[in-house]
């Protein structure tokens, strides 16, 4: 099998420090370089001179009827306008998810609490959801402590878990009050949440803090109060790449998938629709340079840019400096447009005989509120006639026009993320704080406090994307077994939290889950004429 990438456990290092992002950017690229050249070599296989490339540094980072259904947010719905109540939503979520009764000894006072594992953040949310269904809170004019009649049934929970369930219960109550238009009651509950929650506390406390802020922002917007300002942040994702397994697993599995599909191609044109850092491409360049059969004639990478052309051009220069010592004919181009609606095939300069690969990492979700842009992008992709299209998407569903639907889905989704950070990063880690405050915090506000086109990113689950691509005359291609193996190697050898992160097949795609809850999907697609 040509182009296979292997990883030695000695090459993946957990730093655990809080140095500036600029320092970690350079160090992370050096690690990516070492990973790319540290293949699981067969006996007698020549190795690459690492000294030639270790010095390189790198910075991290259709018509509306065809697109995934984007629910119109034009009408502010309340119960009675076709929207389910919070109780119904929570009941559906319980029926569709992991049952709490499946957790060993949960809710059984006769069992010793020490005989079971600590509840995950999502499981604590589920405790609160079940309890809320049975005992919805009333208006709390004077909140001094949060006491429930469910006490005996929760006696097996630890004090921290019970406190977390209390906070989540109150958060659910506040969301229901907002949905019912009882703003004063919601404000009192949110004030109590903010008092009890902490952005430096345990995952449920941090989750509650950010959700409370987003709900308060929604109240401010609906009542005409001043909005919360947001600020730009440095690329914390560069450092997080080394601590959180998802992006690295996706990168290496994607690279292996591409290598499998271009193993007989000599002229390759990779189009990256959301390049971010380009850190995932050195391993592929390395593997292609070593190919014995069908030696590569040239590799062209074209990056689509809609924000800052200079940043993308700098990424290209560093990729070129990486490729030059490997004696591979390499070029990097930037397609810069202010609006995806202005994108066209000619901008990509695809030459006859090139094998085109489209790489789309979590970019299509930004076009869900704008079906005209989605239509144009998919039209251009079809005209480019790609050999394969690689898709990464977040496994979440926050596309409903109903606030309360979005609230429930988003609460469970972020509970998984906060639980992940608790396992992977120390609470005083500055990168964790930045990720939660600026990325997660703004993401939660985007989902809960905004409406219409102002809600700039939305997520739908894989089955929705599957229906969409079928309407675009595309067929799903199975992710190769070697890509699953590559993902497992990266996960097990690179991350101490690997036991919580699981890989599985969902049909033909690769699904990455945290403690059993799907978080990301990797799927591959071809147009019918190429299948």
């Amino acid at each position: 099998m040509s182009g296979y990438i292997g990883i030695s456990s000695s090459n993946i290092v957990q730093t655990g420090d809080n140095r500036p992002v600029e320092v970690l950017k350079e160090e992370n690229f050096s690690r990516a370089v070492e990973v790319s050249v540290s293949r699981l070599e067969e006996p007698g296989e020549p190795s690459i001179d690492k000294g030639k490339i270790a010095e390189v540094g790198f910075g991290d980072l259709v018509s509306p009827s065809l697109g995934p259904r984007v629910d119109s947010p034009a009408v502010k719905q309340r119960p009675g306008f076709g929207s389910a109540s919070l109780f119904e939503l929570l009941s559906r979520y319980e029926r569709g998810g992991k049952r709490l009764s499946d957790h060993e000894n949960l809710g059984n006072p006769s069992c010793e609490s020490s005989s079971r594992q600590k509840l995950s953040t999502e499981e604590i949310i589920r405790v609160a959801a079940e309890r809320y269904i049975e005992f919805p809170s009333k208006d709390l004019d004077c909140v001094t402590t949060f006491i429930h009649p469910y006490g005996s049934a929760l006696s097996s929970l630890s004090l921290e878990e019970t406190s977390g369930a209390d906070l989540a219960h109150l958060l659910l109550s506040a969301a229901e009050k907002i949905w019912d238009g009882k703003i004063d009651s919601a404000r009192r509950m949110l004030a109590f949440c903010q008092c009890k929650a902490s952005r430096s506390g345990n995952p449920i406390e941090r989750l509650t803090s950010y959700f409370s802020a987003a709900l308060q922002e929604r109240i401010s917007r609906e009542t005409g109060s001043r909005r919360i300002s947001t600020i730009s942040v440095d690329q914390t994702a560069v450092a997080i790449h080394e601590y959180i397994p998802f992006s690295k697993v996706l990168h290496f599995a994607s690279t292996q998938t591409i290598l499998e599909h271009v193993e007989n191609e000599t002229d390759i044109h990779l189009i990256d629709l959301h390049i971010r850092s380009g850190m995932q491409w050195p391993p592929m360049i390395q593997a292609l340079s070593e190919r014995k059969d069908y030696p590569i004639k040239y590799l062209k990478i074209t990056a689509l840019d809609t924000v800052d052309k200079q940043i993308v051009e700098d990424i290209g220069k560093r990729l070129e400096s990486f490729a030059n010592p490997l004696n591979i004919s390499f070029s990097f181009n930037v397609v810069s447009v202010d609006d995806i609606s202005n994108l066209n095939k000619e901008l990509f300069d695809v030459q006859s005989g090139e094998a085109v690969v489209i790489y789309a990492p979590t970019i299509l979700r930004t076009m869900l509120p704008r079906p005209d842009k989605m239509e144009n992008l998919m039209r251009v992709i079809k005209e480019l006639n790609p050999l394969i299209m690689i898709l990464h998407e977040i496994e979440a569903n926050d596309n409903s026009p109903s606030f309360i639907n979005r609230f429930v889905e988003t609460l469970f989704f972020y509970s998984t993320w906060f639980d992940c950070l608790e396992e992977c990063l120390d609470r005083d880690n500055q990168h964790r704080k930045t990720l939660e405050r600026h990325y997660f915090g703004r993401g939660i506000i985007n989902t809960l406090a905004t409406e219409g086109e102002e809600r700039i990113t939305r997520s739908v689950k894989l089955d929705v994307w599957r229906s969409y691509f079928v309407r675009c005359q595309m067929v799903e291609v199975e992710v190769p077994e070697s890509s699953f193996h590559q993902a497992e190697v990266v996960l097990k050898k690179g991350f101490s939290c690997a036991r919580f992160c699981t890989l599985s097949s969902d049909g033909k795609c690769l699904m990455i889950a945290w403690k059993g809850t799907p978080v990301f999907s990797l799927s591959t697609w071809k147009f019918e004429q190429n299948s």
Side-chain angles (χ1 to χ4, degrees):
M1 180 176 58
S2 64
Y4 181 76
I5 306 168
I7 295 178
S8 169
S9 60
S10 62
N11 291 319
I12 301 177
V13 182
Q14 299 291 329
T15 63
D17 62 27
N18 291 321
R19 288 173 289 167
V21 171
E22 290 77 8
V23 175
L24 287 172
K25 286 179 181 179
E26 303 300 323
E27 194 169 280
N28 287 343
F29 179 74
S30 295
R31 290 180 194 151
V33 170
E34 291 188 13
V35 164
S36 70
V37 298
S38 300
R39 306 194 304 120
L40 296 177
E41 299 172 333
E42 297 179 1
E45 183 181 9
S47 61
I48 294 295
D49 183 359
K50 300 179 186 178
K52 293 182 180 179
I53 54 180
E55 297 177 358
V56 182
F58 208 82
D60 191 84
L61 280 242
V62 164
S63 67
S65 62
L66 284 176
R69 188 174 70 86
V70 182
D71 294 317
S72 171
V75 179
K76 287 186 178 180
Q77 295 189 3
R78 290 286 187 265
F81 282 82
S83 173
S85 70
L86 179 58
F87 304 102
E88 293 170 327
L89 289 168
L90 292 175
S91 297
R92 291 179 198 169
Y93 208 98
E94 287 303 316
R95 289 195 297 270
K98 297 173 292 184
R99 295 298 303 167
L100 287 173
S101 57
D102 293 339
H103 196 290
E104 185 179 5
N105 298 332
L106 178 59
N108 185 351
S110 64
C111 297
E112 294 294 332
S113 60
S114 60
S115 66
R116 65 167 179 84
Q117 294 181 347
K118 178 181 178 181
L119 291 185
S120 72
T121 308
E122 182 185 355
E123 286 169 326
I124 292 174
I125 296 292
R126 290 182 182 278
V127 169
E130 288 190 357
R131 187 167 58 180
Y132 186 81
I133 292 170
E134 294 294 325
F135 301 97
S137 63
K138 307 297 182 182
D139 278 340
L140 304 178
D141 293 324
C142 296
V143 182
T144 56
T145 186
F146 202 33
I147 301 173
H148 300 284
Y150 220 159
S152 60
L154 296 178
S155 61
S156 66
L157 271 62
S158 68
L159 182 62
E160 182 178 288
E161 290 168 344
T162 301
S163 177
D166 289 347
L167 274 175
H169 188 136
L170 196 57
L171 194 63
L172 291 168
S173 301
E176 180 78 1
K177 296 302 180 187
I178 292 174
W179 189 236
D180 288 339
K182 299 176 180 178
I183 301 303
D184 289 340
S185 295
R187 280 189 172 127
R188 289 194 294 273
M189 293 177 179
L190 292 174
F192 184 73
C193 284
Q194 289 286 45
C195 179
K196 290 294 185 181
S198 169
R199 295 193 176 185
S200 60
N202 60 43
I204 197 71
E205 290 174 344
R206 303 198 309 271
L207 182 75
T208 300
S209 178
Y210 287 107
F211 268 76
S212 296
L215 294 179
Q216 288 172 331
E217 171 73 354
R218 182 179 182 89
I219 290 174
S220 297
R221 293 180 182 224
E222 289 191 350
T223 57
S225 304
R226 182 175 62 86
R227 296 181 179 182
I228 298 173
S229 61
T230 59
I231 61 174
S232 59
V233 296
D234 203 344
Q235 296 187 22
T236 301
V238 183
I240 297 301
H241 184 79
E242 290 301 311
Y243 302 100
I244 310 299
F246 305 128
S247 65
K248 188 171 286 188
V249 168
L250 285 167
H251 286 171
F252 278 87
S254 297
T255 299
Q256 185 62 39
T257 301
I258 293 172
L259 291 170
E260 289 281 327
H261 284 279
V262 300
E263 61 181 352
N264 297 329
E265 304 293 339
T266 58
D267 303 332
I268 300 169
H269 188 169
L270 172 64
I271 297 176
D272 192 331
L273 299 182
H274 195 193
I275 196 164
R276 290 191 179 92
S277 68
M279 191 179 291
Q280 67 273 31
W281 300 132
M284 190 185 72
I285 296 172
Q286 171 76 27
L288 288 173
S289 72
E290 297 176 346
R291 202 164 68 179
K292 303 298 189 299
D293 298 329
Y294 299 95
I296 188 77
K297 292 182 180 178
Y298 75 86
L299 169 66
K300 181 195 301 182
I301 295 181
T302 298
L304 177 62
D305 165 61
T306 59
V307 181
D308 193 326
K309 185 176 181 180
Q310 185 60 52
I311 292 177
V312 180
E313 287 178 342
D314 289 343
I315 292 171
K317 291 176 182 177
R318 297 193 178 188
L319 283 173
E320 288 172 349
S321 67
F322 174 81
N324 288 338
L326 301 180
N327 297 318
I328 185 172
S329 179
F330 176 81
S331 66
F332 184 91
N333 301 308
V334 182
V335 171
S336 185
V337 292
D338 295 331
D339 192 321
I340 293 295
S341 299
N342 299 325
L343 198 65
N344 61 72
K345 173 188 174 182
E346 287 68 30
L347 293 173
F348 292 96
D349 189 29
V350 174
Q351 301 298 310
S352 176
E354 289 182 348
V356 176
V357 175
I358 303 292
Y359 181 68
T362 61
I363 184 63
L364 299 187
R365 62 194 294 262
T366 65
M367 284 171 263
L368 284 175
R370 305 162 185 84
D372 56 326
K373 301 182 189 299
M374 180 80 81
E375 173 190 1
N376 188 60
L377 177 63
M378 294 308 299
R379 179 185 59 80
V380 172
I381 290 175
K382 185 173 184 178
E383 291 175 352
L384 291 170
N385 195 29
L387 180 68
I388 194 74
M389 176 174 172
I390 310 289
L391 181 73
H392 299 176
E393 275 303 334
I394 294 171
E395 190 66 5
N397 179 23
D398 58 20
N399 190 39
S400 172
S402 164
F403 158 71
I404 206 67
N405 290 52
R406 297 201 307 271
F407 173 82
V408 171
E409 291 284 347
T410 305
L411 179 62
F412 279 96
F413 176 75
Y414 278 102
S415 71
T416 300
W417 262 106
F418 276 76
D419 190 83
C420 175
L421 295 190
E422 181 73 0
E423 297 287 353
C424 298
L425 293 170
D426 294 334
R427 291 185 188 177
D428 60 352
N429 184 292
Q430 189 58 46
H431 301 305
R432 181 195 65 74
K433 293 178 181 179
T434 301
L435 182 70
E436 290 183 354
R437 181 179 301 113
H438 297 299
Y439 288 87
F440 290 177
R442 287 192 295 174
I444 293 168
I445 286 176
N446 172 76
T447 304
L448 301 185
T450 63
E451 296 291 351
E453 289 195 0
E454 192 177 5
R455 186 150 49 93
I456 57 176
T457 60
R458 309 184 187 197
S459 297
V460 292
K461 293 191 176 184
L462 179 61
D463 286 343
V464 178
W465 288 114
R466 280 174 168 153
S467 298
Y468 169 57
F469 287 130
V470 167
R471 295 198 297 273
C472 290
Q473 299 180 321
M474 300 181 78
V475 293
E476 188 173 2
V477 181
E478 190 162 5
V479 174
E481 183 179 345
S482 60
S483 298
F484 276 83
H485 178 68
Q486 180 64 68
E488 289 173 349
V489 170
V490 173
L491 182 60
K492 293 179 180 178
K493 294 185 179 294
F495 297 93
S496 59
C497 61
R499 66 188 184 279
F500 300 120
C501 186
T502 55
L503 309 175
S504 62
S505 297
D506 184 320
K508 297 181 178 181
C509 93
L510 166 63
M511 192 70 72
I512 306 175
W514 180 262
K515 294 185 179 179
T517 299
V519 181
F520 284 99
S521 64
L522 187 161
S523 58
T524 57
W525 300 86
K526 289 184 178 182
F527 285 96
E528 289 179 352
Q529 67 264 26
N530 290 338
S531 63

